[in-house]
Amino acid sequence: MPAQQKRIIFCVAGVLSLASALGTAAAVGRQLWVKGTILCKTGALLVNASGLELQKFIGDIQYGLFSGQRVRQCGLGGRPLQFSFFPDLLKIIPASIHVSVILFCTVLIIFALVAAGFFMFNAFGSPYETLHGPLGLYLWSFIACSCGCLIMILFSSEVKIHHLSEKIANFKEGSFTFKTQSEQFADSFWVILVCSLVHFLNTLLIRFAGFQFPFSKPKDSGAVTGAADLMY
C-alpha cells in the first residue's frame, strides 16, 4: 500500500483513539450508567395497591460510577435523594468490583491516548521496529479493547448479579422495602461499548494498512526455507 494511504489510515485510527479516550472520560463523569424504576413494596402492600394506584409507589433511580439520584415514592409524592458511592454506599456495594471498574476506565483512557499518540507518530514520523511500529499499535489497541470489555463485564455483574440498584434503593431504609421494577443500562455504558469497538476497528485498520498480525508467519516463509536448504 502506498505511504500516503497508510498515513491517512493511521490518522483516522489516531482520531478514533482520541475520540475513544474523550468519550470514556465523559462517560466516567456522568450519572447515566443505569436508570430504572423502583417499587415501594411495603407501601403498596399496606394499601393493597394495584393498577393505576401502583404508580403512586413507583419511583425512579439513576446512577453512574461515583454518584446518582433516587426518587422514592410511597404514596405521598416523590422525594428525591442525592447519593455518593464514596463514602456513603461503600459498605453495601461490592467495593472491589466497583473500584476495578473505575480502575479499568482509567487504564482505558490512558492507553487510548497512548494509541492515539503512536498512530499519529507512525503517520507523520519514522516508525521504529518495535513499540512504535505495528507491534506496538496492535498492543495498545488490544489493551484498550480488553479494558473496555472488562469494564462492561464487571459493571454488568455488579448490577445484575449483585443487585446494585436494590441495594442503593434500600440504603438507610428502616421500615420500607424497595424492589427493582425495571432497570436498563444508559448512555454512558453504551459509550464504553462503542469505545471498545473503536479499538477493535483500529486493529483491522492496521491490518488493512498491510501489516501482519503479531506472531503471524509470512506465506512465503516455507518457500524461502526450502530454497535455502537446496543450497547446502
Side-chain angles (χ1 to χ4, degrees):
M1 180 177 290
Q4 185 66 23
Q5 294 183 16
K6 289 183 180 180
R7 179 172 296 179
I8 293 174
I9 290 175
F10 285 148
C11 287
V12 172
V15 171
L16 290 176
S17 295
L18 181 60
S20 172
L22 296 177
T24 303
V28 169
R30 299 185 69 188
Q31 297 181 7
L32 292 177
W33 282 69
V34 174
K35 60 181 179 181
T37 57
I38 51 176
L39 171 66
C40 181
K41 188 177 179 180
T42 305
L45 289 175
L46 285 175
V47 299
N48 197 19
S50 61
L52 295 177
E53 294 178 349
L54 201 61
Q55 298 298 322
K56 298 180 180 180
F57 299 90
I58 297 178
D60 300 319
I61 185 172
Q62 70 174 39
Y63 55 89
L65 297 181
F66 296 98
S67 60
Q69 183 179 20
R70 181 187 70 181
V71 179
R72 62 191 298 273
Q73 291 200 110
C74 295
L76 300 174
R79 297 182 180 181
L81 173 67
Q82 297 284 342
F83 59 86
S84 175
F85 282 92
F86 305 98
D88 297 342
L89 303 175
L90 198 58
K91 294 182 179 179
I92 65 169
I93 65 172
S96 59
I97 298 178
H98 198 78
V99 172
S100 297
V101 171
I102 298 174
L103 178 63
F104 281 118
C105 284
T106 305
V107 175
L108 174 56
I109 295 172
I110 292 173
F111 278 96
L113 292 173
V114 170
F118 281 122
F119 274 119
M120 292 302 179
F121 184 85
N122 279 270
F124 298 103
S126 299
Y128 294 110
E129 292 292 333
T130 54
L131 294 182
H132 291 66
L135 181 59
L137 297 179
Y138 281 122
L139 178 62
W140 313 133
S141 299
F142 174 76
I143 293 175
C145 184
S146 300
C147 287
C149 294
L150 287 172
I151 291 168
M152 291 184 294
I153 292 172
L154 290 174
F155 190 75
S156 298
S157 66
E158 186 180 7
V159 173
K160 299 298 183 180
I161 298 177
H162 294 276
H163 307 290
L164 183 61
S165 298
E166 283 193 5
K167 290 181 178 179
I168 294 174
N170 290 283
F171 177 63
K172 289 186 177 180
E173 291 290 343
S175 56
F176 289 94
T177 302
F178 291 85
K179 180 181 178 182
T180 303
Q181 186 80 357
S182 66
E183 64 180 356
Q184 59 270 357
F185 295 108
D187 299 344
S188 296
F189 180 84
W190 300 118
V191 167
I192 300 297
L193 174 61
V194 172
C195 292
S196 302
L197 294 177
V198 162
H199 293 289
F200 178 75
L201 175 62
N202 282 348
T203 61
L204 299 180
L205 289 177
I206 301 169
R207 181 65 185 89
F208 182 72
F211 296 113
Q212 296 288 339
F213 286 110
F215 310 112
S216 62
K217 296 181 179 180
K219 294 182 179 180
D220 57 346
S221 59
V224 174
T225 305
D229 291 340
L230 291 175
M231 295 178 62
Y232 292 94

